[in-house]
Amino acid sequence: MQLYLMRHGETEWNKERRLQGQSDISLNQYGRELAAKTAKALAGVAFDRAFSSPLARAYETARILVGERQIPLVVDDRLKEIHFGSHEGIFFDQAKRDPKDPLHDFFLAPASYIPPEGAESLEQVLDRGCAFLAEQILPLEGSCENVLVVAHGAFNRSLLNSILGIPVEEFWKISLPNCAVSILSLEQGHFSVLEESRIYYNHPANGRP
């Protein structure tokens, strides 16, 4: 079975380099265009199932990808982006410049990141991601050939890093632009990465914060 793990299209907050987290920001027009280009490139893939984060930017991307396919599109809360609590909406560059900012380590020293009150840790995001894979994806092996999952940058990285053995110190090693698709193979309960962070348009958009 192949799992197509995709990041959502661009939003205005992506463009403004603001931290979205679980704030429910919609796609902008360019984000819809990127999703449409990706959908066209993957039109020949016979998806059996599709899953999406409930956040609007991911769900709309998933709807565009599913298109006219008569398949289930299941929303799962565990696919949401990492939660930053009251710090959502901050500008990346401001936090990166200020060592006293609670989100400074998230960007520049992720192994030392301590989430502020009300926010999630990277470990918590990985835990819910692994629970999603165990409960929703692993049981499909043998009955499905191609499955689509549309989620978010930090969430997708946490899964890819775990599968590839990338340590948390190198959390940002993989660039994941908007609408980047990573293709995973599932065989006998084991995931491997066949293709990492592929885009189907010309210039990568918002690959890293």
Side-chain angles (χ1 to χ4, degrees):
M1 191 180 88
Q2 291 190 347
L3 177 67
Y4 288 71
L5 180 64
M6 181 179 177
R7 187 186 175 202
H8 61 79
E10 187 186 75
T11 71
E12 284 303 301
W13 279 23
N14 285 146
K15 192 175 177 180
E16 295 168 0
R17 294 178 59 77
R18 294 175 67 182
L19 201 64
Q20 292 181 112
Q22 294 186 7
S23 297
D24 205 2
I25 311 302
S26 298
L27 296 179
N28 60 19
Q29 187 54 41
Y30 185 55
R32 295 183 183 98
E33 291 172 9
L34 297 185
K37 288 180 179 180
T38 306
K40 183 177 180 180
L42 298 179
V45 179
F47 291 119
D48 301 294
R49 299 280 186 89
F51 297 86
S52 174
S53 157
L55 298 177
R57 59 191 185 271
Y59 186 75
E60 185 177 0
T61 301
R63 289 298 318 161
I64 293 170
L65 264 289
V66 169
E68 296 182 358
R69 296 178 179 89
Q70 299 300 307
I71 61 171
L73 174 55
V74 178
V75 170
D76 195 304
D77 280 349
R78 291 170 295 187
L79 296 176
K80 285 182 178 179
E81 182 59 299
I82 185 172
H83 188 39
F84 296 104
S86 62
H87 294 270
E88 294 186 358
I90 69 163
F91 292 89
F92 300 160
D93 297 322
Q94 175 183 324
K96 289 166 76 174
R97 285 193 300 268
D98 182 3
K100 295 181 180 179
D101 191 290
L103 275 300
H104 179 80
D105 284 348
F106 176 73
F107 296 111
L108 298 180
S112 301
Y113 173 59
I114 299 174
E117 186 176 354
E120 268 186 308
S121 68
L122 290 169
E123 183 180 13
Q124 288 172 314
V125 175
L126 178 59
D127 285 348
R128 60 179 165 88
C130 289
F132 166 78
L133 292 179
E135 294 175 24
Q136 292 278 29
I137 302 301
L138 289 178
L140 299 179
E141 186 181 3
S143 62
C144 293
E145 292 186 4
N146 299 293
V147 176
L148 174 69
V149 173
V150 181
H152 304 268
F155 178 89
N156 288 6
R157 270 190 191 87
S158 68
L159 292 183
L160 290 169
N161 287 349
S162 177
I163 293 167
L164 292 167
I166 297 173
V168 68
E169 290 85 356
E170 300 176 45
F171 184 78
W172 301 106
K173 180 178 180 179
I174 299 173
S175 176
L176 279 181
N178 291 120
C179 286
V181 179
S182 297
I183 304 175
L184 282 57
S185 172
L186 175 60
E187 187 172 355
Q188 296 183 347
H190 175 72
F191 288 100
S192 58
V193 178
L194 301 179
E195 192 163 5
E196 177 188 303
S197 193
R198 180 175 179 180
I199 57 170
Y200 298 88
Y201 57 95
N202 292 330
H203 302 292
N206 307 298
R208 293 187 182 88

